[in-house]
């Protein structure tokens, strides 16, 4: 559906002072080229100035009448198809600007002709005409706007000429062309072609084919045969035997009374290979290291059927105005005259083509899809697509339509669009007609920046004669290309330059016009504001560099348009109400400003639409730096009490609501509690009671539920305990109060938040450090309590490993620094052993070591560290760096080292450590650890070591002697008599070992 608005996109118009009747014209950079009709054989050049002023620059002669012409911004050259003596020629006019400086010298040269350095001074001051001979007459041409390459359409082939920059010397660079590639296409005579970024669009009378040349790795064969398609046809380039599909034969049938038409087809993407149009690539460029090789990718094929429309007979149904429109990355630029070409970064690509009664706009970038269809009110003659508009000429009108290129390109550029962060009107938004401007006899049109060049002819024609049907075939094959204008000069023509109004001016008119629909037809209001938004967005994305003040004005208009759209989606009852949030975000408005916009329009708003509630809910749930005034906060409370009372506890915890009246908030909460009581609502009331200093109310609310229920209630709104300010975690008054009065509840609530993914481990660390004001590096006891509590319930291996290393590091730090915790731990070691699997029972031999020294001041940290190492949870290898600060001497260091050696399987080293530091613990250690397959260490390690150390110390160490006796008793019970005797030292005292020998022999007799 095309909506019609009577806006004014066209401004002033001026007449181009042409000397002869124009036949063809085109624009490029800042100039207008006009090729004269009939036998004058000249091209007039005009400079386009601001406000549509047109100044003649001069003219130059052509070989013959110009049939087609095009200008390339890259390279700044003009290319023409000219006719002389019934033959057509392809010529490029290079360095034509010197002609406007008064030079009349012209150099004609063949393409690829080697230019000697001696001609350098001459070449700088003269226009060069480059002749490009072809084996078949050229029918249509197109220049790539990015790199200046030239595409020429001929019968059954397309020829690509690459633009070259030839460096003659350091002061002179000359443009030249090299024929690099020929695309051979069976049974195709192109009517029009378009070329951009290796994309090719071809039209015949009723068919459209869009291709892309993909870069591939070089092949050994210089000429690659890339015939593609469903039919297994092979085309021989030298004119050999061809196999043609049945459809090709059918299309050539010419009957006296019938027109044979194929059925309409639309093939997109990979399916377009099924079009049965085989293509063969012939590489003609001289091979070098930088030579590029391509293969053909089919993007789109569409075939139309002629219809008996109100605009003419079916024979007159032909495609026209094929165009490829590139959209570049915002801020990218290119300079045409640089020796080293600076390429603009292509963002999106669009293709437009039209039938007399309907036009089609496709996106052919990442995805090939139809994005807009344009229905014309009368038969169209020609159309031109720009990033902002589609201009169409009919027999009596110049029509201006909106386009969706900026909407599609914006989504290609910014992945955040269509999220809660950013929005853009949809690509599927209905297009509209902004204006239908009356003109008498429009014949041709082209566009440059904010100028439209329009050729009109005011004389009348015999409509009956013009519409008289002729019996001919509608086929891709045609005999010749016919000019739109007659060869004989005719009176009544005019060539106009029409200035489109500035983007800002048209934007203002759209906004003013939208107000007429605001209270009558909301969808039309949103539609027109969306059009205004896309208009400004397209101008911002325009590749032509804007002045800084113009860009700033456009950005202000962009933000304003976002605000208007946010107003619509928040005020109107629409299914897309959620778009209020991203549009208000893009507008840069604060919540206070949004509230003023919505409330100022009426005395009191009694009903609030979903869009406003959605925007306020998400904005208040984010940690913004904006603080609302008391009046604004109370207004928001009123809005949510009426529209969504369940959200009241959540919005009251927002940092933006710090200035809200607590008493007013409590009254609203009490009303909600009567209908929907909850733990979260109770906690919110307690939070407000603290802000008011009402401890009685606080106590009453906190005793309404059990402590475990309250701890889980905080998961409903974590901001009751912590908020973010400038990216920093800040504890609330509630958290500070709980720290002093109910630290256990605070720790339990934080654990619940972590287990429900409402707070990360690092964020919780920062929270407790800020809460206890211990500095960034200091670890408060309350944080250690949190770690210990989290160890009880956490099941994530990665988190467990971090927690174990953190508590070990903290225990070690306090033991080594002899620092006591600043507050009493919430749980004792015994509590942790009973409640947490990661804290194990302390081994008896560890207790034996610790009985030697008495260090009751740090007993809790020591026992917790030993308990962790006695469990199987700690990865000892990872924990060793954290244990290094422990002093090597003393029972603590000894017990920890032996525990680590035991966990690492270093039994013999552990025995050595014990015998050196605490020999009395050696036997308890062996009794606990040396069992099963490790039992042999009793006699292989422990007994020999005890004998050795006892021999050295003698009777001075009774602990060694008693340990030796216990070890002998155990070994005597386990070994045979012969083996036992072999272990005894040769110089040992018989009286000492005899009892154990007797015990061993008696055990043997008993068994």
């Amino acid at each position: 559906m095309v909506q019609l608005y009577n806006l004014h996109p066209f401004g002033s118009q001026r007449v181009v002072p042409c000397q002869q009747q124009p036949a063809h014209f085109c624009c490029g950079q800042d100039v207008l080229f006009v090729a004269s009709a009939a036998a004058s054989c000249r091209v007039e050049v005009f400079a386009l100035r601001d406000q549509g002023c047109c100044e003649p620059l001069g003219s130059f002669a052509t070989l013959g009448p110009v049939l087609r012409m095009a200008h390339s911004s890259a390279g700044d050259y003009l290319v023409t198809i000219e006719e002389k003596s019934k033959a057509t020629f392809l010529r490029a006019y290079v360095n034509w600007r010197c002609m406007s400086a008064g030079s009349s010298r012209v150099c004609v040269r063949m393409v690829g002709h080697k230019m000697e350095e001696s001609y350098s001074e001459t070449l700088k001051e003269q226009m060069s005409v480059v002749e490009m001979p072809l084996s078949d007459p050229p029918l249509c041409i197109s220049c790539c706007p990015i790199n200046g390459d030239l595409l020429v359409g001929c019968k059954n082939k397309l020829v690509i000429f690459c633009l070259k920059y030839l460096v003659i010397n350091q002061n002179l660079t000359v443009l030249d062309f090299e024929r690099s590639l020929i695309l051979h296409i069976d049974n195709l005579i192109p009517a029009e072609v378009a070329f951009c970024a290796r994309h090719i669009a071809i039209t015949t009378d009723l068919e459209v084919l869009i291709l892309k040349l993909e870069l591939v790795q070089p092949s050994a064969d210089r000429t690659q045969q890339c015939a593609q398609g469903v039919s297994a046809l092979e085309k021989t380039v030298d004119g050999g035997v061809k196999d043609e599909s049945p459809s090709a034969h059918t299309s050539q049938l010419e009957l006296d009374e019938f027109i044979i038409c194929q059925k309409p087809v639309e093939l997109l993407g990979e399916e377009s290979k099924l079009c049965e149009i085989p293509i063969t690539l012939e590489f003609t460029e001289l091979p070098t290291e930088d030579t590029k090789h391509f293969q053909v990718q089919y993007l789109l094929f569409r075939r139309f059927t002629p219809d008996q429309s109100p605009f003419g007979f079916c024979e007159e149904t032909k495609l026209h105005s094929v165009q490829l429109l590139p959209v570049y990355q915002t801020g990218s630029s290119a300079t045409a005259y640089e020796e080293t070409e600076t390429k603009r970064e292509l963002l999106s690509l669009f293709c437009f083509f039209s039938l007399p009664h309907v036009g089609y706009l496709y996106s052919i970038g990442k995805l090939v899809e139809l994005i807009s269809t344009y229905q014309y009110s009368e038969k169209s003659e020609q159309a031109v697509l720009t990033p902002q508009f589609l201009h169409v000429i009919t027999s009596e009108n110049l029509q201006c339509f909106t386009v969706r290129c900026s909407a599609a390109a914006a989504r290609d550029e910014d992945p955040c669009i269509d999220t809660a962060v950013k929005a853009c009107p949809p690509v599927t938004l209905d297009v509209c007609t902004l204006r239908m401007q009356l003109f008498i006899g429009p014949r041709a049109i082209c566009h440059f920046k904010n100028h439209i060049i329009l050729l009109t002819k005011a004389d009348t024609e015999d409509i009956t004669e013009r519409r008289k049907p002729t019996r001919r075939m509608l086929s891709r094959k045609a005999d010749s290309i016919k000019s739109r204008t007659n060869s004989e000069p005719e009176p009544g023509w005019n060539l106009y330059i029409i200035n489109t109004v500035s983007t800002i001016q048209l934007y203002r008119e759209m906004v003013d016009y939208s107000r007429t629909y605001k209270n009558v037809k909301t969808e039309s209001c949103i539609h027109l504001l969306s059009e205004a938004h896309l208009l400004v967005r397209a101008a911002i994305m325009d590749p032509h560099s804007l002045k800084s003040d113009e860009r700033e004005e456009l950005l202000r208009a962009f933000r304003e348009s976002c605000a208007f759209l946010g107003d619509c989606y928040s005020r109107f009852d629409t299914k897309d109400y959620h778009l209020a949030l991203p549009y208000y975000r893009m507008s840069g408005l604060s919540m206070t400003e949004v509230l003023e916009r919505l409330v100022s329009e009426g005395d009191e708003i009694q009903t609030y639409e979903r869009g406003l509630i959605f925007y306020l809910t998400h904005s208040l749930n984010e940690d913004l730096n904006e603080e609302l005034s008391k009046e604004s906060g109370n207004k928001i409370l009123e809005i949510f009490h009426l529209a969504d009372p369940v959200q009241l506890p959540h919005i009251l915890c927002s940092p933006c609501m710090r200035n809200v009246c607590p008493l007013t908030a409590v009254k609203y909460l009490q009303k909600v509690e009567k209908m929907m009581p909850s733990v979260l609502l109770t906690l919110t009331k307690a939070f407000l009671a603290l802000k008011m200093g009402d401890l009685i109310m606080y106590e009453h609310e906190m005793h309404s539920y059990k402590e475990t229920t309250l701890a889980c209630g905080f998961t409903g709104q974590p901001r009751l305990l912590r908020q973010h300010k400038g990216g920093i975690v800040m504890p609330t008054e509630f958290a500070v109060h709980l720290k002093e009065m109910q630290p256990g509840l605070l720790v339990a609530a934080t654990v619940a938040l972590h287990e429900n993914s409402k707070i990360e481990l690092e964020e919780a660390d920062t929270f407790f450090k800020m809460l206890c004001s211990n500095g960034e590096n200091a670890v408060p006891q309350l944080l250690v309590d949190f770690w210990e509590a989290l160890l009880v319930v956490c099941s994530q291996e990665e988190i467990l490993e971090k927690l174990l290393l953190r508590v070990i590091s903290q225990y070690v730090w306090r033991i080594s620094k002899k620092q006591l915790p600043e507050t009493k731990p919430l749980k004792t070691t015994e509590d942790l052993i009973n409640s947490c699997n990661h804290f194990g029972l302390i081994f008896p031999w560890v207790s034996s070591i610790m009985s030697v020294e008495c260090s009751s001041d740090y007993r809790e940290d020591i026992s917790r560290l030993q308990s962790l190492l006695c469990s199987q949870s700690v990865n000892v290898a990872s924990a060793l760096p954290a244990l290094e600060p422990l002093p090597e001497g003393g029972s603590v260091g000894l017990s920890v080292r032996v525990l680590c050696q035991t966990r690492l399987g270093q039994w013999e080293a552990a025995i050595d450590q014990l015998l050196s530091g605490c020999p009395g613990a050696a036997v308890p250690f062996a009794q606990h650890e040396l069992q099963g397959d490790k039992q042999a260490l009793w006699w292989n390690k422990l007994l020999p070591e005890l004998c050795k150390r006892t021999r050295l110390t003698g009777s001075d160490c009774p602990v060694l002697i008693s340990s030796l006796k216990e070890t002998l008793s155990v070994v005597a019970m386990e070994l045979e008599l012969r083996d036992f005797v072999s272990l005894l030292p040769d110089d040992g005292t018989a009286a000492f070992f005899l009892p154990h020998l007797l015990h061993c022999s008696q055990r043997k007799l008993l068994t």
Side-chain angles (χ1 to χ4, degrees), residues 188-309:
L188 182 77
I189 299 181
E192 291 181 340
V193 292
F195 190 34
C196 180
R198 301 201 306 270
H199 291 75
I200 298 172
I202 315 157
T203 61
T204 61
D205 285 353
L206 292 172
E207 292 181 344
V208 182
L209 178 63
I210 302 178
L211 312 168
K212 181 181 179 182
L213 296 175
E214 286 188 319
L215 282 172
V216 294
Q217 293 297 324
S219 173
D221 185 7
R222 190 63 189 90
T223 303
Q224 293 185 352
Q225 300 298 325
C226 300
Q228 300 179 26
V230 171
S231 61
L233 306 180
E234 283 294 327
K235 179 187 188 317
T236 306
V237 177
D238 60 3
V241 180
K242 303 178 185 177
D243 260 344
E244 295 189 358
S245 63
S247 60
H249 286 294
T250 304
S251 64
Q252 298 180 28
L253 295 177
E254 295 192 6
L255 305 179
D256 292 337
E257 301 297 331
F258 297 98
I259 299 174
I260 307 300
C261 302
Q262 295 180 337
K263 64 180 181 180
V265 173
E266 182 184 35
L267 301 173
L268 304 179
E270 290 296 322
E271 290 184 351
S272 57
K273 293 180 180 178
L274 306 176
C275 64
E276 297 188 0
I277 301 179
I279 299 174
T280 304
L281 299 185
E282 179 185 356
F283 294 90
T284 58
E285 185 180 4
L286 292 176
T288 63
E289 292 181 358
D290 299 327
T291 299
K292 297 177 181 179
H293 294 258
F294 302 99
Q295 66 181 10
V296 174
Q297 178 187 1
Y298 291 80
L299 299 181
L300 181 146
F301 174 77
R302 185 154 186 179
R303 179 191 298 131
F304 297 92
T305 299
D307 56 351
Q308 190 74 28
S309 69

Side-chain angles (χ1 to χ4, degrees), residues 977-985:
L977 181 59
R978 180 181 300 174
D979 295 332
F980 182 63
V981 171
S982 66
L983 293 174
L984 300 180

